[in-house]
Amino acid sequence: MKKRHLPLAILATAALGLSACSAGSSGSSGDGETLNVWIMQGTNAESEDFFERAGEAFTERTGATLNVEMVQWADAHDRFVTAIAGGTTPDVAETGSTWTAEFAESGALAPIGDYVSEAGLDGKLVEGLLEPGKLDDTLYGMPWYAGVRSMVYRTDLFDAAGIAVPTSWDEFRDAALALKESNPEIIPFPVAGDAENLTYPWVWGNGGEVATQSGDTWTSGLDSKEARDGIQFYTDLALKDGASTTGATTWKETDILDNFAQGKVGMAMMGSWTPSAILEKNPELEGKIGSFAIPGPEGGYSPSMLGGSHLSMFESSENKDLAWEFIDLMTTGDFAAEWATQSGYFPGETSALEATVADADEITQAFADQMVDAGAYLPVTPRFGAVQAKKTTNTMIQSILSGEKTVEQATADAASEMTSILNEK
């Protein structure tokens, strides 16, 4: 896995101008046509109003009608697979960044590199989203939005206990122990067993790799000494230091969010989109939340998973120029900025972002720092979606937290399974 340093920042404010068309758009004749689009539900609470206005702008721009269907994330992958097999795919769809290569390999997606070049966007898209959108150096997924995970914490609890923001792993453990001592009724730092993206920073931060490629062969690095030591530190926070709870063995990231919002958690690894969600659930935490980038073992930052979505064009689309017009409208200019602002994610176009880093609020700045200095992406291969479907990493962590396996046993089993899946033909 090659880690990337990414110049990103979320827009603190954004407003649509009189025209929602992005610069460089030439328009496409779509009079009387309908463009069918699938979008994942839940990312943006204001999506209904957003797409109503986007549809109006799209019609003004092209003459075509926009038909957006919202799809649940939990059902999306299977629905895509079924639609691809049955030839019932939409014209354009939001595809998770770890799915795009898989769908491209199946032949379902159309290459969009020429469209990107003709729009003058070469070199202007976020690399950490651009690379997962490729298969064999051909671009199939247009970067739309991204999020990164850092640490979110209760500033009031830290201040009351005299805890400084940690800058190394030892300091992080000390902070968790201090929270445990000063606030025994809370969970200092939940170690979630069903949240694979919270595991990888401890692997990468300690110099390990999730998987690497040599020629046509992939090899998991979860059983390397570096990865094992990082995973040992992470799980020991629960097993030896008592910073977590046994209940967290089955927690997903949404469980961490809910418990943090309920005032039951002192600090947690969470996404850049979660602070606003916390305050929406519990407005009483206003002014009591802070964030900091995930510290490295001896300082610096531990890389964190950059996840997000592409907009992808399907080969089945009968008007690919029209499909590109929608993709361009959504991923560049005002609509891209507004989506980022509403959802709490980071846009996939760099030009609209770099100028806003300095204006980001304190909480957002920590996530921006994480992205700039330590954003990373998972192995770019069509098979990694199968690894996630198998829950290889989650099973590894849960087996350690439950006491079923040692770190050595669990990482060996996980690495073997991951390597086998990644090399399946």
Side-chain angles (χ1 to χ4, degrees), residues 312-393:
S312 298
M313 180 192 305
F314 282 83
E315 276 287 8
S316 61
S317 178
E318 296 182 358
N319 191 335
K320 292 182 174 59
D321 289 345
L322 188 65
W324 170 253
E325 288 296 330
F326 172 75
I327 292 173
D328 182 61
L329 180 69
M330 290 295 99
T331 59
T332 65
D334 291 331
F335 276 111
E338 185 184 11
W339 182 269
T341 301
Q342 291 179 355
S343 66
Y345 282 81
F346 294 76
E349 185 189 17
T350 59
S351 62
L353 303 174
E354 294 175 356
T356 68
V357 172
D359 295 330
D361 61 39
E362 188 174 352
I363 293 179
T364 302
Q365 190 63 57
F367 288 104
D369 290 343
Q370 182 81 57
M371 280 195 160
V372 169
D373 294 322
Y377 52 86
L378 292 172
V380 181
T381 163
R383 297 300 303 159
F384 202 80
V387 171
Q388 293 180 310
K390 187 73 173 179
K391 292 200 167 187
T392 300
T393 300

Side-chain angles (χ1 to χ4, degrees), residues 152-158 260 263 265-267 285 288-290:
V152 179
Y153 72 104
R154 288 281 299 276
T155 56
D156 57 332
L157 301 185
F158 268 54
F260 194 105
V265 172
M267 64 177 174
L285 290 178
K288 300 177 181 179
I289 299 175

Side-chain angles (χ1 to χ4, degrees), residues 254-314:
T254 51
D255 296 309
I256 295 178
L257 170 62
D258 290 342
N259 280 271
F260 194 105
Q262 293 167 18
K264 298 178 181 179
V265 172
M267 64 177 174
M269 195 186 311
M270 304 175 77
S272 52
W273 56 94
T274 59
S276 60
I278 291 170
L279 295 178
E280 183 176 343
K281 290 174 178 287
N282 186 358
E284 293 183 4
L285 290 178
E286 180 74 46
K288 300 177 181 179
I289 299 175
S291 63
F292 58 92
I294 305 168
E298 305 296 334
Y301 301 147
S302 291
S304 179
M305 161 65 175
L306 172 66
S309 285
H310 300 123
L311 285 181
S312 298
M313 180 192 305
F314 282 83

Side-chain angles (χ1 to χ4, degrees), residues 66-117:
L66 181 65
N67 178 41
V68 175
E69 182 176 352
M70 306 304 291
V71 179
Q72 293 285 348
W73 273 110
D75 305 326
H77 187 274
D78 288 346
R79 185 168 179 182
F80 275 120
V81 171
T82 300
I84 290 169
T88 58
T89 51
D91 296 287
V92 176
E94 175 183 351
T95 55
S97 58
T98 58
W99 299 349
T100 306
E102 175 188 354
F103 299 154
E105 186 185 49
S106 74
L109 301 185
I112 60 172
D114 288 345
Y115 286 105
V116 169
S117 297

